[in-house]
Amino acid sequence: MVPLTRMKLLRLLLLAAMLALLLFISSLWLPQGGVRDCGGSWQPCLKFYRQTVRRTHPLLVPEEGAEAPPLIPECPGQSFQAGRLLQYLKSSLENADDVLLEPYLQSWDQLLKFMESLGTMVGFFSHKVKEKVVLIRELSLKRSLEAHGKRGPPDSSGLQIGANRSVRSMVEAELKDGVVDFSRRTDSGCRTLLRLHRSLLWLKLMLEGLAEGPDADGRYRTPGELSRAAYMVALAPHHPWVLRQAAEFVFLALPDRRYFLQLVCVRSQRKATPVLHAIINALALVHAQTQRILAEHDMLELP
């Protein structure tokens, strides 16, 4: 009996040590203050982007006779707004062959708010995402300044010439300048975008699970189960063993399904499903468009 008790004690101590280490690391990663829309000190807007939508991606336009997408109201008392997320995602798809960079990053501003609404432990994921959003904005502004010494004149679309106005223009510019390294890690916009791209897939897969109905036994999968399954597909293949083990604590700490429904301002699964489907559809289009551009330039496995 004594050896068994000691073994249990050792396991508990090991678990407590791992949890304490994760909490310490997360505390270093957590943002100071809430995430705001672009324009704050840590994430200035890309000034060369004018927020007007002149066209809509053809796959986002409902077919004649099809059910219109749901109207998503503002949800008072919380920072994450599902309606704004959907608006930014659609705006990023203004060009049917590209992804506009600033609305793409504004989508991430909202997704960060979503992630940080889930509790302190999700800082394990959100801190790195935030760093990448900031880096891409900084690189885009730097390119604009280097090209003109100041903000350049707008072109016919209202965007600053020489700036990274879109995913495609950033990829092509960095390849031309020799910024992208296919053999070692660099702080290029393309490598940073690839990491965001993988995280977008993780969130999309998790939301798809939340939109699903119950299984044959009438049971809904928990957010922790859904997040773990999505993580194993989208992020785990690119993470070392230590991070994969630490991620398990995040999944255990996620709130229940009802909390997720409240984040999109609904009270039932029935009302949440069409809202989630609208967001998932837009996320899928943005992800597919980005995937296509990165694949065209063999950038899906940048180190």
Side-chain angles (χ1 to χ4, degrees), residues 245-295:
Q245 299 307 306
E248 291 295 325
F249 290 106
V250 177
F251 307 141
L252 292 174
L254 287 178
D256 60 22
R257 181 179 284 261
R258 286 176 298 178
Y259 184 83
F260 280 82
L261 300 186
Q262 291 172 9
L263 287 178
V264 294
C265 249
V266 297
R267 295 175 179 267
S268 68
Q269 182 69 39
R270 180 181 61 82
K271 292 182 178 179
T273 298
V275 173
L276 291 173
H277 279 161
I279 295 173
I280 291 164
N281 181 43
L283 284 170
L285 290 173
V286 171
H287 185 272
Q289 196 91 296
T290 308
Q291 177 91 359
R292 190 177 304 113
I293 296 170
L294 292 174

Side-chain angles (χ1 to χ4, degrees), residues 30-190:
L30 284 175
Q32 300 301 314
V35 179
R36 299 159 291 175
D37 287 335
C38 70
S41 58
W42 70 273
Q43 50 172 27
C45 290
L46 302 186
K47 298 300 183 182
F48 45 81
Y49 173 72
R50 186 171 62 190
Q51 246 181 302
T52 57
V53 179
R54 291 170 294 280
R55 298 184 301 276
T56 304
H57 193 286
L59 294 180
L60 286 172
V61 178
E63 296 181 2
E64 187 175 350
E67 185 177 348
L71 294 175
I72 305 177
E74 286 281 312
C75 209
Q78 65 181 45
S79 57
F80 169 69
Q81 298 294 336
R84 293 184 196 175
L85 170 60
L86 187 58
Q87 172 194 339
Y88 294 142
L89 289 169
K90 289 181 176 180
S91 295
S92 72
L93 294 168
E94 179 184 330
N95 188 324
D97 191 41
D98 206 346
V99 178
L100 290 183
L101 202 53
E102 179 55 25
Y104 174 82
L105 297 177
Q106 287 176 313
S107 301
W108 268 113
D109 293 340
Q110 283 297 317
L111 289 169
L112 275 165
K113 293 176 181 180
F114 171 77
M115 294 168 69
E116 291 176 351
S117 297
L118 303 180
T120 303
M121 293 294 285
V122 185
F124 173 76
F125 291 116
S126 65
H127 83 286
K128 285 295 183 184
V129 171
K130 182 174 178 179
E131 288 179 359
K132 289 170 175 55
V133 171
V134 171
L135 179 58
I136 290 180
R137 279 194 170 109
E138 289 176 345
L139 290 173
S140 297
L141 291 171
K142 180 181 178 183
R143 176 172 294 277
S144 180
L145 292 173
E146 288 177 347
H148 302 283
K150 59 180 181 179
R151 284 197 307 157
D155 63 12
S156 59
S157 67
L159 306 178
Q160 293 294 327
I161 299 172
N164 291 341
R165 53 184 284 185
S166 69
V167 168
R168 187 175 294 280
S169 67
M170 179 180 72
V171 168
E172 292 174 352
E174 290 197 343
L175 283 174
K176 181 180 178 181
D177 294 346
V179 174
V180 183
D181 195 312
F182 289 84
S183 59
R184 63 182 180 87
R185 295 185 178 185
T186 61
D187 285 335
S188 68
C190 294

Side-chain angles (χ1 to χ4, degrees), residues 6-20:
R6 288 179 178 174
M7 184 177 296
K8 287 183 177 180
L9 180 60
L10 287 173
R11 287 178 178 174
L12 288 173
L13 288 173
L14 178 60
L15 181 61
M18 290 182 68
L19 181 57

